Structures are given as C-alpha cells and as structure tokens.
Amino acid sequence: MNAPDIFDRQRRRLHRDRAQAGFARANFLHRYMLEGIEDRLQAVTRQFTDVLDLGCHDGAFMPPPGARIARFDPGFAFARAADGVQGDEDRLPFADGAFDLVVSVGVLDSVNDLPGALTLIRRTLRPDGLFLAAFTGGRTLATLRQSLLTAEGDRPAGRVHPQIDLRSAGDLLVRAGFALPVADSETLTVRYAGLGRLVDDLRGMGATGLLDPAPLGRAGLMAAASAFADRADPDGRTVEQFEVIYLTGWAPAPSQPQPARRGSATTSLAATLRPGA
C-alpha cells in the first residue's frame, strides 16, 4: 500500500500553471539557484551529450555546447512553453541510462517521494553521469513562519510546507545510491516592504502552500501582516531568507575514486571532490 501524498499533486500543477505567464516578474530565486548550478557545472571539464532539465520552468538552463536536452516540469504550462514533458519527479518516464547529466532547479522541495525521485534520477543516469540540483531548504521563510505562528496563537495550522534540512539532503543522496555526494547551502536574503509583497513573490514563483489547512481569514491575515511588520528594520522593511541547498552526485562507475578504507589515513576535503575528468 502506497503512503499518502504529503503534497496535493493537482494543486502543485495548478500553482505552476498560474505562475507561468508572469514568471519573469518573480524569478529572482530561480535565477539565483540557476547561477549556482552553472558555477558548479563550469568546474567540471568532461563532456556531456544528453541532458535532462528536471523542473525546467521557463527553459532558462542552457545545456553544454553540442548536448541534446530534454525538458520536464510538474506544470503543464511550463512544460508546454519549453517544448517539454509534464509529470512528477517521483514518477519519471525516462529509460535507465538515458542521460549523462541531470539538472534540477527549484522543484525538489515539493516532491512527495523525494527518496524515490532521487533513486529514479540516479537510474536515468549513465555510469559516471552527473546530477546537480538546487532547491529551498528548511531555513527558508523563517520570518513568515514566525509571523503565522504569532497570528494563529495556540492552534497554528501547517501553512508553509515542510522542507528538508542540509544534513538530511546529503543522507538522501547516499541512500539513493549516488557516488561522491556533496550537499552544501547558501542563504539569499530579501527585504520586503510588507507581507503582501512576499506573498506576491511566492505566487509568482508558483511556491504558495501545497497543504490544505483551514483558510486563515481576514482577521488572521491582518494579524500575520502586523506580526511581519513588527519584525521590520528601522526603514520599514522586513528581512526574509531563502536557504538554497545544492546537491551534487555521480552515478557510480568503476573509474571513480573510492572512499578510503576504515582506519586508513584521513584525506583532505579536496580529495573527496569529483575530478573534472
């Protein structure tokens, strides 16, 4: 028997479809993640021929020169605009070994079965294929969470969906069978004139809540806006943060460096990174 979904799949698709037309006005977080992915990819000197853009949004990710690319997105509108395929990351339709590079930007935080999705991603990679991902982590929207808790008092509802922390993300890479796994994070700080501006950005990203709590109501919304404003700096702007978790993993291959045996000399961090071969 399958476990029940955490996130409403239909709601996720609808949120992305509604965001697609105006995404360019609220894509700053996606651009930030994409730059991080591109920086990491530039450090790898090997050639790639078949690429999967998993969570393609507006198709902004450009494959390495000469490589073929397939686009895939949970939203119909994004997938159609990018000439891609619509579907869920934990139900990938691609054959084993179809790609030598899989890139995912800004979607894995809202996948129902993330361990299963990572396993499927690893299976779509050829031996020594590379996986790069970026998504928001557990420290994202800390100010919004606190404002909602303040507004709802002793009986808060789950309005911001649960997100994974950095350590757990790295553990999931290992569990999915990736070799040479690396998980790291950065924090993007944004200052807002009010709660409404933050909510507008989240809607524009297709990143509003995927849970199904009771409506907050006008009084609750006003209380949350007041709590958000109470946390403002002297200039009237409130700091919100987006934690971005980056994952790097390789499909296992005999040619890869092997971990040191237990009890052998400790290697440096640099020695654990994948050489650009």
Side-chain angles (χ1 to χ4, degrees), residues 120-173:
L120 289 175
I121 291 167
R122 195 258 304 159
R123 288 176 57 181
T124 68
L125 284 168
R126 298 166 191 155
D128 207 33
L130 175 62
F131 170 55
L132 292 170
F135 55 92
T136 54
R139 291 185 293 153
T140 297
L141 300 177
T143 306
L144 175 60
R145 293 173 193 268
Q146 288 301 315
S147 299
L148 291 170
L149 287 172
T150 299
E152 297 195 277
D154 296 334
R155 303 183 65 180
R159 301 189 183 279
V160 181
H161 68 253
Q163 292 165 304
I164 193 169
D165 61 38
L166 179 61
R167 180 173 180 176
S168 297
D171 290 344
L172 286 176
L173 274 180

Side-chain angles (χ1 to χ4, degrees), residues 16-272:
R16 295 183 71 78
D17 286 347
R18 290 168 183 165
Q20 187 270 333
F23 183 65
R25 295 191 296 271
N27 67 351
F28 66 91
L29 181 59
H30 184 260
R31 291 199 312 270
Y32 180 87
M33 293 182 182
L34 188 57
E35 289 172 2
I37 290 291
E38 291 171 343
D39 288 345
R40 287 159 175 77
L41 186 56
Q42 288 174 5
V44 180
T45 58
R46 61 160 292 179
Q47 299 295 310
F48 297 102
T49 58
D50 293 286
V51 181
L52 173 60
D53 181 8
L54 187 61
C56 61
H57 289 82
D58 56 356
F61 173 74
M62 291 293 103
R68 297 177 292 269
I69 189 165
R71 311 276 189 184
F72 184 97
D73 197 272
F76 287 105
F78 278 127
R80 182 173 58 247
D83 195 22
V85 176
Q86 188 278 330
D88 294 317
E89 298 86 344
D90 52 3
R91 299 174 177 176
L92 290 180
F94 304 106
D96 290 359
F99 305 102
D100 50 16
L101 172 64
V102 175
V103 170
S104 178
V105 182
V107 292
L108 293 183
D109 61 306
S110 57
V111 174
N112 275 293
D113 182 8
L114 182 54
L118 291 174
T119 299
L120 289 175
I121 291 167
R122 195 258 304 159
R123 288 176 57 181
T124 68
L125 284 168
R126 298 166 191 155
D128 207 33
L130 175 62
F131 170 55
L132 292 170
F135 55 92
T136 54
R139 291 185 293 153
T140 297
L141 300 177
T143 306
L144 175 60
R145 293 173 193 268
Q146 288 301 315
S147 299
L148 291 170
L149 287 172
T150 299
E152 297 195 277
D154 296 334
R155 303 183 65 180
R159 301 189 183 279
V160 181
H161 68 253
Q163 292 165 304
I164 193 169
D165 61 38
L166 179 61
R167 180 173 180 176
S168 297
D171 290 344
L172 286 176
L173 274 180
V174 175
R175 176 178 168 183
F178 284 97
L180 307 170
V182 177
D184 62 291
S185 69
E186 300 174 355
T187 300
L188 175 63
T189 299
V190 184
R191 302 174 73 244
Y192 284 99
L195 180 61
R197 296 296 299 274
L198 170 59
V199 172
D200 287 346
D201 274 352
L202 295 177
R203 285 176 178 157
M205 300 174 194
T208 46
L210 297 176
L211 306 178
D212 192 22
L216 184 58
R218 181 177 178 83
L221 183 59
M222 292 178 64
S226 177
F228 191 83
D230 286 345
R231 292 170 169 79
D233 293 332
D235 65 356
R237 293 184 174 270
T238 301
V239 172
E240 187 56 278
Q241 65 179 15
F242 298 85
E243 181 190 23
V244 178
I245 293 178
Y246 293 97
L247 299 182
T248 304
W250 296 81
S255 61
Q256 292 167 346
Q258 300 300 309
R261 297 188 306 275
R262 184 180 296 274
S264 64
T266 301
T267 59
S268 67
L269 175 62
T272 70

